[in-house]
Amino acid sequence: MGALYTLYIQTEGHIQMQDITAEVQRLAGECGIASGICTLFLPHTTAGLLISENRDPYLAVDLTRAVHMLTGDESGYHNLEGNFAAHLASMLTGVSLTVPVEDGRLALGSWQSIYLMEFDGSRKRKVRVKFMEDL
Amino acid sequence: MGALYTLYIQTEGHIQMQDITAEVQRLAGECGIASGICTLFLPHTTAGLLISENRDPYLAVDLTRAVHMLTGDESGYHNLEGNFAAHLASMLTGVSLTVPVEDGRLALGSWQSIYLMEFDGSRKRKVRVKFMEDL
Amino acid sequence: MGALYTLYIQTEGHIQMQDITAEVQRLAGECGIASGICTLFLPHTTAGLLISENRDPYLAVDLTRAVHMLTGDESGYHNLEGNFAAHLASMLTGVSLTVPVEDGRLALGSWQSIYLMEFDGSRKRKVRVKFMEDL
């Protein structure tokens, strides 16, 4: 135990959902955890972590539209880089997630995947992955 | 330590706030934790976990109105099941929460309760509850 | 290990971002953790915890505007205290955050700070800080 892992993810679009469940599950196997928790942390300010449905092909389209609806256009903001909407979307999704681990597996629901949400891509992103094992 | 508990909650309305604080506190007693953390995880994609006020009788009404305001109607979305608003509300609240445990009690503020937020009910929901004790 | 720390923060404005990164890092040093996780928890219902950018002087202005845009005015709500917008903003940011700890340091990105978000100030606020060390 003890290692803090890093996943490197190259995003492709300006807004994009990238399913990272398999990579996180692979790290759980690599560290050999049986039961405990997994904390995911994103060291970025214009991206987010989201657990959401993995079977509806329209979810990414709908979420992109929703992000635009919720964050508005940039014209009313003062942000120096012109990417405040991405910061706001990051605030709404969050950069930290904790998932229980049971029998060496992430205890996700059968319809759930873990997504890196890119809101200001394309960029090279990092996801930090930390496992804490039961006593 | 070590057990990953499951609470089974039958929700009643399409949108509903269900206070689960007492059940989670009961599990803390059952596992015998003195101090550490409690991670709650919802294995669903159209519900959320929320810590909010427990004394204003209008909070549920106001939150329901706010969820409608923030998620809009379904007409603009492509989601196959016609419940994208519920997915978006789940994204805005989140499905994972971690609360410190002190002297065997959840370290909540005196006005706080933990709520299962149903956004696409009524359904039978599960809440996974994991305690990690201090070394 | 084991202590659950409390930071006391006096907020100044009705809506305010208060950077608490240095105080949390100081507590990490005080408890002597080498690697593990840090869970922050806010025992309040009209404030939030946010990890966001620390170098754009306009971020606080933009976030304040965004909070008003997302929460609307109070006129349509029934909340007894007339501060439902603050409860909704708290729901959108959340009151719980977990950050990995590596080599005794919070594993934040170089542009990230941890903020206490006051949405109904000025008030005296508490932030609970819990460290869990690796086995």
Side-chain angles (χ1 to χ4, degrees):
Chain A
M1 216 49 44
L4 175 57
Y5 296 95
T6 306
L7 294 174
Y8 295 90
I9 312 283
Q10 176 65 52
T11 63
E12 303 298 339
H14 182 62
I15 297 183
Q16 189 205 351
M17 294 179 74
Q18 177 84 30
D19 190 333
I20 61 171
T21 316
E23 283 99 324
V24 179
Q25 182 56 55
R26 181 180 56 72
L27 292 176
E30 192 174 320
C31 90
I33 187 171
S35 68
I37 56 175
C38 172
T39 292
L40 303 171
F41 185 80
L42 206 53
H44 303 292
T45 59
T46 55
L49 286 169
L50 178 66
I51 293 182
S52 192
E53 214 214 78
N54 53 24
R55 295 192 203 170
D56 189 323
Y58 295 109
L59 190 69
V61 176
D62 284 349
L63 269 180
T64 300
R65 178 178 180 280
V67 165
H68 283 301
M69 176 187 74
L70 289 171
T71 57
D73 62 37
E74 301 286 354
S75 59
Y77 299 117
H78 298 83
N79 180 277
L80 294 179
E81 298 172 87
N83 63 352
F84 178 73
H87 286 91
L88 183 56
S90 173
M91 181 190 103
L92 295 174
T93 46
V95 296
S96 166
L97 269 182
T98 300
V99 182
V101 177
E102 188 174 31
D103 300 327
R105 309 282 310 167
L106 298 165
L108 296 169
S110 51
W111 294 69
Q112 288 180 318
S113 282
I114 304 170
Y115 293 95
L116 167 64
M117 301 293 293
E118 173 63 78
F119 298 122
D120 194 31
S122 59
R123 296 190 186 216
K124 191 165 186 182
R125 300 294 195 176
K126 286 188 267 193
V127 183
R128 310 303 305 273
V129 184
K130 178 76 183 178
F131 297 96
M132 301 291 292
E133 191 157 24
D134 285 336
L135 295 185
Chain B
M1 215 50 42
L4 175 57
Y5 295 96
T6 307
L7 294 173
Y8 295 90
I9 312 282
Q10 176 65 53
T11 62
E12 303 297 340
H14 183 62
I15 297 184
Q16 189 205 351
M17 294 180 74
Q18 177 84 30
D19 190 332
I20 61 171
T21 316
E23 283 99 324
V24 179
Q25 181 56 53
R26 181 180 56 74
L27 292 176
E30 192 174 319
C31 91
I33 187 172
S35 68
I37 57 175
C38 173
T39 291
L40 303 171
F41 186 80
L42 207 53
H44 304 293
T45 59
T46 56
L49 287 169
L50 179 66
I51 293 182
S52 191
E53 214 214 78
N54 54 23
R55 296 193 202 168
D56 189 323
Y58 295 109
L59 191 69
V61 176
D62 284 348
L63 269 180
T64 301
R65 178 178 181 280
V67 165
H68 283 301
M69 177 188 74
L70 289 171
T71 57
D73 64 36
E74 302 285 355
S75 60
Y77 299 116
H78 297 84
N79 181 277
L80 293 179
E81 298 172 89
N83 63 353
F84 179 72
H87 285 90
L88 183 56
S90 173
M91 181 189 104
L92 294 175
T93 47
V95 296
S96 167
L97 269 182
T98 299
V99 182
V101 177
E102 188 175 32
D103 300 328
R105 310 281 311 167
L106 298 166
L108 296 169
S110 50
W111 293 70
Q112 287 180 318
S113 282
I114 304 170
Y115 293 95
L116 167 64
M117 301 293 293
E118 173 63 78
F119 298 122
D120 194 29
S122 59
R123 298 191 185 215
K124 191 166 187 182
R125 299 294 195 176
K126 286 188 267 193
V127 183
R128 310 301 306 272
V129 184
K130 178 75 183 176
F131 297 95
M132 301 291 290
E133 191 158 22
D134 285 336
L135 296 184
Chain C
M1 215 50 41
L4 174 57
Y5 295 96
T6 307
L7 294 174
Y8 295 91
I9 312 283
Q10 175 65 52
T11 62
E12 303 298 339
H14 183 62
I15 296 184
Q16 188 204 351
M17 295 180 73
Q18 177 84 31
D19 190 332
I20 61 172
T21 316
E23 284 100 324
V24 179
Q25 182 55 54
R26 181 180 56 75
L27 292 176
E30 193 174 318
C31 91
I33 187 172
S35 68
I37 57 174
C38 172
T39 292
L40 303 171
F41 185 80
L42 207 53
H44 304 292
T45 59
T46 55
L49 287 169
L50 178 65
I51 293 181
S52 191
E53 214 214 80
N54 55 23
R55 296 193 203 167
D56 189 323
Y58 295 109
L59 190 69
V61 175
D62 285 348
L63 268 180
T64 300
R65 178 178 181 279
V67 165
H68 283 302
M69 177 188 75
L70 289 171
T71 58
D73 64 36
E74 303 285 355
S75 60
Y77 299 116
H78 297 84
N79 180 278
L80 294 179
E81 298 173 88
N83 63 352
F84 178 72
H87 285 91
L88 183 56
S90 173
M91 181 190 104
L92 295 174
T93 47
V95 296
S96 167
L97 269 182
T98 299
V99 182
V101 177
E102 188 175 32
D103 300 328
R105 309 282 310 168
L106 298 165
L108 297 169
S110 50
W111 293 71
Q112 287 180 317
S113 282
I114 304 171
Y115 293 94
L116 167 64
M117 301 293 293
E118 172 63 78
F119 298 121
D120 194 30
S122 61
R123 297 190 185 215
K124 191 166 186 181
R125 300 292 196 177
K126 286 189 267 192
V127 183
R128 310 303 305 272
V129 184
K130 178 75 183 178
F131 297 96
M132 301 291 290
E133 192 157 23
D134 286 337
L135 295 184

